[in-house]
C-alpha cells in the first residue's frame, strides 16, 4: 500500500511539472490559482513614447500618440486592445458635452495601417451608470511587441476631457489581460473654428472698408487684411448688431448723411461678408450715437442724452416693423459718455465717460425689464485712445476681446476676462488689465468696428 501511495504522489508531481502546449508551443503551466488554462501567468507592459502628449482642441491638425505593448511569451491571438479615459462624461443641459466626432483617430500597429478607429463617447444623466469614453484599437495577431500609433484630431469640445491618465489594456483570445499600462494626454485650447473667431473692420480715408480676420493666436491676432469694398464714406455711423466673425458671420446697420439707416445682413462668406443693403428708415440723424445692444438690436442716444432701445424684430411679430420693434426709452444722462462700442460677445455694451473711465453695461436678458444691469467699472485711463472696438474671441479662451488705437496710431489688444455680475446669475467678460501691441499704422482708418 505504501508503494501505491508513493507512485500516486510521484505521478502527481510529474504531472504538475510537465510542459503543456498551446497550439503546438510548449509553456510551463502556472498554478490554477494564478491563471486559467490558455492564459499566461505574466502581464506585459504598455510604455508611452515621448512623454505626455499635448492634443490641441481646435482647428490644428492631428497629433500622434505612440506607445509600445510588450507581451509575455506564449500569448495566443487574436489580441484586442482598448484605450480608456478615467472619467465619465456628464450630460449638459443640451445632452452630450462633446460633439459627435469630438476626436477623429486613425491607427497603425507595427507599421500596418488599419484606417479609422472609433471612439465611444457615452454621456450620463442623473441616475445613470455608463462606462467612460474609450477607443477600440485594431485586433491583431499576437507578437512579442506591438507598436501602436494613434492619431488624434480633436475639436473644441474636447477641452472637457481635461488632462487624463488613460489606461491601455490588451487581451488575448480568451479575454485574459496580457498587457496594460498608462498613457498621458493633455487636451488644451486650440485654434477656434472660424465661426468663433472675431473679425475687425476698418474704413480708410478713401471710403474703402477693410476686413481683418482673427487667427486665434493673440501673438498675431489678425490675418492679412482683405478688401470688402468702397463707398463706405457715405455713412456717418456704422455698428455691428451681431459680432463679425472670421467665417463671414455678423450683420450691421449704417446711417448715411441724410439720416437713413441701412441694414447689411450676414452672408457666411468671408470673401463677401455682407449682403446687399436694405433700407430700414429715415430720421436717424436725431441720434448722436448708435450701438448694437448685444442681442441683435441697438440702442441710440439723442441730443438730450436720452438713450432709446430698439429691440430686434426679425420676423415682424405683433405687427412691428422689420427689423426693430418701436423704440423704448431707457433713461437720461447718457451724454456723460463720449464713446461707445458693442461688446464682442452677446452681453451688452462698453461706454467711456468724459473722465476716461470705461464702463460695462450687461444685458439683463429678461422681458419686460430695463435692458441693462447696473454698470460695472472696467478701469480708468481710456481717454488715451482715439478709437476702440469690441470683438469676438481673438484668442483661445472663449472670452470676447477689445482693440484700442492710441493717438500715435498703435493698435492694442485687451483680452477679455470673465466676471460674475454682482447680484446676477449672468456671466460676463470685460477687457483685462493688461494690453499687448498689435501693430502701428492704424491712423490710416477713421472708423473701426
Amino acid at each position: 500500500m505504501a508503494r501505491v501511495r508513493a507512485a500516486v504522489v510521484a505521478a502527481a508531481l510529474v504531472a504538475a511539472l510537465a510542459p503543456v502546449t498551446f497550439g503546438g508551443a510548449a509553456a510551463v503551466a502556472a498554478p490554477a490559482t494564478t491563471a486559467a488554462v490558455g492564459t499566461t501567468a505574466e502581464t506585459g507592459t504598455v510604455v508611452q513614447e515621448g512623454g505626455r502628449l499635448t492634443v490641441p482642441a481646435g482647428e490644428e491638425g492631428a497629433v500622434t500618440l505612440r506607445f509600445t505593448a510588450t507581451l509575455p511569451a506564449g500569448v495566443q491571438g487574436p489580441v484586442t486592445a482598448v484605450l480608456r479615459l478615467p472619467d465619465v462624461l456628464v450630460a449638459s443641459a443640451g445632452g452630450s458635452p462633446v460633439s459627435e466626432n469630438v476626436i477623429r483617430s486613425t491607427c497603425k500597429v507595427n507599421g500596418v495601417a488599419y484606417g479609422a478607429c472609433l471612439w465611444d463617447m457615452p454621456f450620463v444623466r442623473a441616475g445613470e451608470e455608463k462606462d467612460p469614453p474609450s477607443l477600440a484599437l485594431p485586433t491583431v495577431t499576437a507578437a512579442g511587441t506591438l507598436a501602436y500609433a494613434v492619431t488624434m484630431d480633436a475639436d473644441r469640445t474636447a477641452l472637457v476631457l481635461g488632462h487624463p491618465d488613460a489606461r491601455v489594456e490588451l487581451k488575448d483570445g480568451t479575454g485574459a489581460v496580457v498587457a496594460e499600462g498608462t498613457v498621458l494626454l493633455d487636451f488644451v485650447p486650440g485654434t477656434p473654428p472660424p465661426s468663433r473667431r472675431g473679425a475687425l473692420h476698418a474704413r480708410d480715408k478713401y471710403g474703402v472698408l477693410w476686413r481683418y480676420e482673427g487667427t486665434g493666436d493673440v501673438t498675431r491676432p489678425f490675418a492679412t487684411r482683405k478688401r470688402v469694398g468702397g463707398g463706405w464714406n457715405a455713412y456717418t455711423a456704422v455698428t455691428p448688431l451681431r459680432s463679425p466673425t472670421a467665417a463671414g458671420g455678423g450683420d450691421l446697420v449704417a446711417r448715411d448723411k441724410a439720416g437713413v439707416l441701412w441694414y447689411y445682413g450676414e452672408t457666411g462668406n468671408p470673401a463677401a461678408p455682407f449682403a446687399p443693403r436694405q433700407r430700414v428708415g429715415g430720421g436717424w440723424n436725431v441720434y448722436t450715437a448708435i450701438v448694437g445692444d448685444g442681442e441683435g438690436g441697438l440702442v441710440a442716444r439723442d441730443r438730450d442724452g436720452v438713450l432709446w432701445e430698439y429691440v430686434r424684430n426679425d420676423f415682424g411679430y405683433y405687427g412691428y416693423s422689420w427689423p426693430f420693434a418701436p423704440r423704448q426709452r431707457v433713461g437720461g444722462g447718457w451724454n456723460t459718455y463720449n464713446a461707445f462700442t458693442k461688446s464682442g460677445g452677446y452681453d451688452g455694451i462698453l461706454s467711456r465717460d468724459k473722465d476716461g473711465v470705461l464702463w460695462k453695461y450687461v444685458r439683463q436678458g429678461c422681458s419686460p425689464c430695463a435692458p441693462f444691469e447696473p454698470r460695472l467699472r472696467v478701469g480708468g485711463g481710456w481717454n488715451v485712445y482715439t478709437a476702440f472696438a469690441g470683438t469676438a474671441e481673438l484668442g483661445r479662451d472663449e472670452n470676447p476681446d477689445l482693440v484700442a488705437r492710441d493717438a500715435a496710431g498703435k493698435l492694442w489688444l485687451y483680452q477679455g476676462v470673465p466676471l460674475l455680475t454682482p447680484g446676477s446669475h449672468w456671466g460676463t467678460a470685460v477687457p483685462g488689465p493688461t494690453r499687448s501691441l498689435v501693430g502701428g499704422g492704424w491712423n490710416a482708418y477713421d472708423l473701426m468696428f
Side-chain angles (χ1 to χ4, degrees):
M1 183 65 69
R3 289 176 182 173
V4 172
R5 291 195 186 99
V8 171
V9 171
L13 289 172
V14 170
L17 297 174
V20 295
T21 60
F22 305 105
V28 176
T33 55
T34 58
V37 175
T39 66
T40 62
E42 304 173 59
T43 300
T45 60
V46 171
V47 178
Q48 182 177 2
E49 296 181 18
R52 199 168 200 109
L53 180 69
T54 298
V55 184
E59 293 292 290
E60 287 79 0
V63 294
T64 302
L65 169 68
R66 300 181 189 276
F67 58 90
T68 298
T70 302
L71 276 57
V75 172
Q76 298 296 295
V79 174
T80 58
V82 64
L83 183 154
R84 187 171 289 109
L85 301 184
D87 300 317
V88 298
L89 292 176
V90 179
S92 60
S96 175
V98 298
S99 68
E100 184 178 357
N101 295 308
V102 55
I103 307 175
R104 296 159 296 283
S105 292
T106 61
C107 294
K108 287 184 179 180
V109 185
N110 285 352
V112 178
Y114 288 84
C117 42
L118 301 180
W119 284 85
D120 181 24
M121 289 277 177
F123 60 93
V124 300
R125 294 187 172 94
E128 291 183 328
E129 291 187 9
K130 291 185 180 179
D131 292 331
S134 61
L135 173 66
L137 299 168
T139 299
V140 298
T141 303
T145 59
L146 296 172
Y148 290 83
V150 180
T151 65
M152 294 188 178
D153 186 1
D155 69 22
R156 193 175 180 89
T157 63
L159 282 177
V160 302
L161 302 176
H163 309 278
D165 295 353
R167 295 291 296 173
V168 176
E169 187 178 81
L170 285 74
K171 294 182 178 180
D172 66 10
T174 71
V177 175
V178 293
E180 59 185 348
T182 301
V183 294
L184 311 177
L185 305 172
D186 286 327
F187 292 94
V188 300
T191 302
S195 61
R196 299 294 297 271
R197 299 199 302 266
L200 178 69
H201 294 90
R203 182 184 67 188
D204 67 22
K205 63 181 180 180
Y206 303 106
V208 176
L209 191 67
W210 300 90
R211 174 177 171 85
Y212 291 83
E213 294 173 4
T215 65
D217 180 357
V218 294
T219 64
R220 50 174 193 89
F222 297 115
T224 303
R225 71 178 188 174
K226 298 177 180 178
R227 189 180 192 273
V228 176
W232 286 79
N233 50 5
Y235 300 119
T236 59
V238 182
T239 183
L241 299 178
R242 297 186 175 97
S243 294
T245 70
D251 55 356
L252 59 83
V253 290
R255 181 188 64 195
D256 67 21
K257 296 172 183 178
V260 176
L261 194 69
W262 300 87
Y263 173 75
Y264 287 84
E266 65 183 20
T267 65
N269 177 8
F274 304 118
R277 70 180 189 175
Q278 301 176 60
R279 190 179 193 273
V280 176
W284 287 78
N285 272 341
V286 299
Y287 299 118
T288 58
I290 57 174
V291 61
D293 69 358
E295 289 193 345
L298 59 81
V299 290
R301 181 189 64 191
D302 66 23
R303 293 183 178 86
D304 296 323
V306 175
L307 194 70
W308 300 88
E309 180 186 27
Y310 289 83
V311 175
R312 184 62 172 251
N313 184 48
D314 283 312
F315 306 107
Y317 290 146
Y318 312 114
Y320 293 164
S321 62
W322 173 93
F324 305 116
R327 70 177 190 175
Q328 301 178 48
R329 190 180 192 273
V330 176
W334 287 78
N335 273 340
T336 189
Y337 300 113
N338 58 25
F340 298 87
T341 186
K342 178 189 176 300
S343 169
Y346 301 95
D347 61 350
I349 64 174
L350 291 158
S351 305
R352 182 185 65 191
D353 68 23
K354 296 174 182 177
D355 296 321
V357 177
L358 192 67
W359 300 88
K360 175 72 176 280
Y361 283 86
V362 179
R363 287 287 308 180
Q364 286 268 47
C366 58
S367 180
C369 61
F372 301 117
E373 296 180 359
R375 67 182 186 175
L376 296 170
R377 190 180 192 274
V378 176
W382 285 80
N383 48 9
V384 300
Y385 298 117
T386 58
F388 54 86
T391 70
E393 180 181 9
L394 295 176
R396 301 178 180 181
D397 57 8
E398 300 189 339
N399 295 315
D401 300 316
L402 182 142
V403 291
R405 182 190 63 198
D406 65 22
K410 293 180 180 179
L411 191 70
W412 300 89
L413 169 63
Y414 287 84
Q415 290 184 259
V417 294
L419 293 176
L420 184 65
T421 309
S424 169
H425 297 295
W426 283 74
T428 188
V430 296
T434 60
R435 66 181 188 175
S436 59
L437 180 64
V438 176
W442 287 78
N443 273 340
Y445 302 116
D446 63 3
L447 177 68
M448 296 191 307
F449 59 87

